[in-house]
Amino acid sequence: MIPAQFDYVAPSTVEEAVNALVEAGEDAKVLAGGQSLLPVLRMRLNVPSVVVDLCRIESLRGVRDDGDALVIGAMTTHSDVFHDPLVREHATLLTKAVEQLADPQVRHRGTFGGALAHADPAGDLGAPALALGASFVIAGSGGTRTVEADDFFEDLFTTAVQDGEILTEVRIPKYTGWGAHYEKFVRVAHQWPIVAVAAAVRVDGGTIAEARVGLTNMGSTPLRARAVESALVGQSATDEAVRGAAASAAEGTNPPSDLNGDADFRRHLATVLTRRAVLAAAGA
Amino acid sequence: MTVTEDRPAGKEIGSPRKRKEDQRLITGRTKFTDNIQLPGMLHLAMVRSPFAHATITNIDTAEAKAAPNVVMVLTGADVADEQGALPCAWPISEDQKAQPHPSIAVDRVAFAGEIVAVVVARSAAAARDAAELVDVDYDELPAALDLKEAAEDTVLAHPDLGTNKSAFWQFDSAGAGTGSAIDDAIRDAEILIEREYRQQRLIPAFMEPRSFAVDPTGEQITMWSATQVPHILKLMLALTLGIPESKLRVIAPDVGGGFGGKLQVTPEEVITLLAARRTGKPCKYTETRSESLMAAHHGRDQWQKLTLAAKADGTVTGLKVDLIANMGAYLGLVTPGVPILGAFMFNGIYKFPAYQFNCTNVFTNMTWTDAYRGAGRPEATYAIERMMDQLALELDMDPVEIREKNWIKHEEFPFTTVCGLEYDSGNYEAATARAKEMFGYDELRAEQKRRRESNDPVQLGIGVSTFTEMCGLAPSRVLGSLNYGAGGWEHASVRMLPSGKVEVVTGTSPHGQGHVTAWSQIAADRLGVPFEDIEVLHGDTQVSHKGLDTYGSRSLVVGGSAVVAAADKVIERAKPIAAHLLEASVNDIEFKDGRFSVAGTDKGMAIGELALASFSAHNLPDGVEPGLDADATFDPANFSFPHGTHLCALEVDTETGGVKMRKYVAVDDVGNIVNPLLVEGQVHGGLVQGIAQALWEEAVHDSSGTLVSASFVDYLVPTAADTISFDTDRTVTPSTSNPLGTKGVGEAGTIASTPCVVNAVVDALKPFGVIDVQMPCTPERIWKAIHDRGAGGADPTEGEAMPHFDEKDVADRSEGGAQ
Ligand SMILES: Cc1cc2nc3c(=O)[nH]c(=O)nc-3n(C[C@H](O)[C@H](O)[C@H](O)COP(=O)(O)OP(=O)(O)OC[C@H]3O[C@@H](n4cnc5c(N)ncnc54)[C@H](O)[C@@H]3O)c2cc1C
């Protein structure tokens, strides 16, 4: 299908991009990898007057080491995140999540920042980013600000990024030596998760010392399973112990009902997948 | 009647030739309809109804007409007098009811996606933009959406018809004299099993969206169409629009898949032609994927009620079938006949003495259904193969054993079934033995036992399906007896060119099957010319003037046989010329490997030399016409009956309801094989498509009749990542109804695999007392079946899609900015 007509700009700096957005007002749209935006445009669900393409802004691409954190540029593709050795070493959870995201074509075009800014509750990156306590750097006409993960996801398809702003990079604290697993439940391989669970754990002598657990598609935003996290601490990494802690995974969630399953089924899945994710992360 | 000849196997037939046509098809450097650009070409965009059932109260086209580059806007009222009604070629009963099917709705829409207006513009983008400006007012009407409710006439899909029931069709073995009375069998049954199965609605989902281009300049109006049926389309367009058939030329250039979905005469074809005729300019329309999913015909969609009578030892004594078949809003080309194609197949490979089939065709306010890979026969095979498993369960017998007890033994062929069909050949024992051996049946049963005993959260299910089908459509007389509008013959020409090259013209219309390769192999062997020297021409009614196209696994069986017959005629035409030039008697001329020689001598001529001699015509015998070309038409006396045994092992994760396939074995008998690679391609693709019905695909509508699974995000067509590598093999019992001894293979995999997989799923859940899971067997349904202890998990699917590309995105974002 053919999108409605729009103006197109492809600036080469963040500043120019912000200016272009501010100038166009609320009718402007940021284009990253286009994997979510292009279908929206082609189905004419959105008819922006201007599309501001970030593809020429080199500074938004790549992963860098910044002391106790990694910084992932918003325009880094899923495929580049997957292959990045820094990510693999210090934020394995992301490696595991992007590995299962969509299909190779989408992974080569879609971007880390685009996926997070899109904030699809079924997106695979929100829960890991939340679990890892990422912070989001947002550029606007007044300069840049940083938003913590807990405040970034506001609602279905809604984040702290406002009109006239661009998500430029995401800072992820290092979790060197942690075990991680992303347990994604789908019917076909190229699908968004029906439910997924992101788990990172630090195991010390067979006991879970720290745990971070994020839930995908269990509400209108990614969720932290804090009850599970605290129940896990101090437990041995065994099926029985983890099963008990995982039983509370669905507490306080509000999962959707759709073609792939109703809310009850999702609540049930969350407990099973949480147990599996934590056990796999703990290497048990 | 046996017409199979005892010919030594040729060099080409049986060889796994790679497909000649793939280079261009895969790279796209070829003519697909959408690639066609003609000078001054105009482009169409459709305005479609968002409502399942509504009266059109007003259409305002003024703004659209005034939009840049718009040439014309058409509504139903504009073309009401010339558009005619789209054809249905298969009225199944004399009193069949049907609503005339306009290409553009005039005052009422009957399904969501029906066309209400058409914009013709100088570019596709301009047409699309202006389509947004057409303002249509609707008064919504109550819609008939639920099939069972529709059968009760609760809400009428077409109020003027006064009922939703289009037709009733019955086959009764006692009435037909082909068997005994079903009521007696049911009365005397020692075991009686009643079940109800749902054949969900499917979408053919071919790779190339439908595309049509029409050039009205010149004496003949030319239509390019991404169709499976250029010949039928030409005739039907002529009849629908009152254009003399001789003034029409239809070309199906390269076509990217169909699966029955392009066996249709579509509103879009008629509209493109009307637009071209009105504007006097070439016009083109290519649908979007969303339009394709919504408004190209759907498939399956039946409720099946089955009553099986048996003796306590497992011998089946009768089967009664009560079907409700969803026609959707209109009757397409063969819509009413699709369930009837299954009527003769519910008895499968078995020897039931009594059988009755009752089918009620019902209208609803949904996209119309029509042929989809297997058409009628997958539904029938599903029903009987699920029922045989139920019988095995009831008697605590092995499901293979129960089948063996009832099937036709190989020494009983030819066998006349309870439906009156004569199965000419087959060997179910051999196929089953081979399949069990490849599968490791006993070991897998042992593993299943272990998992059951240890309450393993991952249970193993083993499914079996033994199937046959009637295909190679078909004997013209049989089609006639079923009221089908056309015959089932096929035509071929072999043109011997002066340079020794050969053109084979076929009336079949390949759209991915590989006919070009297979027909080349047949002609190469028959004529003794190199494979590479043969060109196969198809799809253009000016070149291939006679044909009945491609569907129903008919092309090789019927069309390939016509190639054999035409090639043989070429040789017969060449013999007197060879005799004349070699100064011998015709009776002494022998033909072998492309050479005509005089018996007992070393004198001879190559077929290419004869082609040149007959072309130059300098020295022909008296009364012999120049040229060696020959035509032939083949009409088989019977269907072909491929069969096979499929076995599937899969793991069901009882904690999530997830299914993981472990092993799939398919041993098919498709008679003699022209090209084993092509057979593999058909079998593997067919398996995936059938497995998709079992596990993944379903067209879901919400309570207002909007298609919810309206993109590939929600209509789950599997990819290679979702399937395993299948283990395939074949047994060979040649068909006796065609000279090649082949049987159709195009639908086999699809027909056999669906029940095989569902049987495996249900088998895995046996420890939980589950006896059925409705298709597609989603994790949610499986999980609920486990927890509801056998309730079947048949709760209606929630009518919502995941909103990945939702408008919400837009709204929330702009609101966010204002906060
Ligand atoms: C077939 C298919 C399957 C998919 N499957 C999955 C899946 O399984 N899991 C999954 O997580 N995702 C999946 N996706 C989505 C994929 O991850 C997308 O790449 C992602 O959601 C959007 O990233 P993008 O770079 O393509 O962004 P775009 O599509 O370009 O943009 C998406 C939205 O974010 C905004 N945006 C983008 N970048 C910025 C920025 N830097 N600052 C501010 N706003 C911005 C845009 O304006 C737009 O509204 C799938 C997509 C497709 C097409």
Side-chain angles (χ1 to χ4, degrees), chain A residues 241-258:
Chain A
V242 173
R243 187 182 291 264
S248 57
E251 264 174 30
T253 62
N254 185 19
S257 286
D258 62 35

Side-chain angles (χ1 to χ4, degrees), chain A residues 29-30 32-37 78 102 110-111 115 123-124 167 184 191-192:
Chain A
K29 265 293 190 189
V30 171
Q35 298 306 291
S36 297
L37 185 62
H78 301 315
T111 65
D124 283 307
L167 174 65
K184 176 170 175 171
Q191 209 185 7
W192 274 268

Side-chain angles (χ1 to χ4, degrees), chain B residues 578-637:
Chain B
H580 178 74
L581 295 175
L582 294 166
E583 295 170 338
S585 149
V586 177
N587 296 331
D588 292 336
I589 297 294
E590 290 172 346
F591 178 72
K592 190 165 175 273
D593 294 340
R595 215 177 146 72
F596 293 85
S597 49
V598 182
T601 74
D602 58 2
K603 285 202 299 180
M605 286 178 86
I607 189 165
E609 293 174 86
L610 274 159
L612 183 61
S614 73
F615 164 77
S616 59
H618 295 163
N619 184 13
L620 297 180
D622 289 344
V624 168
E625 286 179 37
L628 296 180
D629 302 352
D631 284 8
T633 300
F634 181 75
D635 195 349

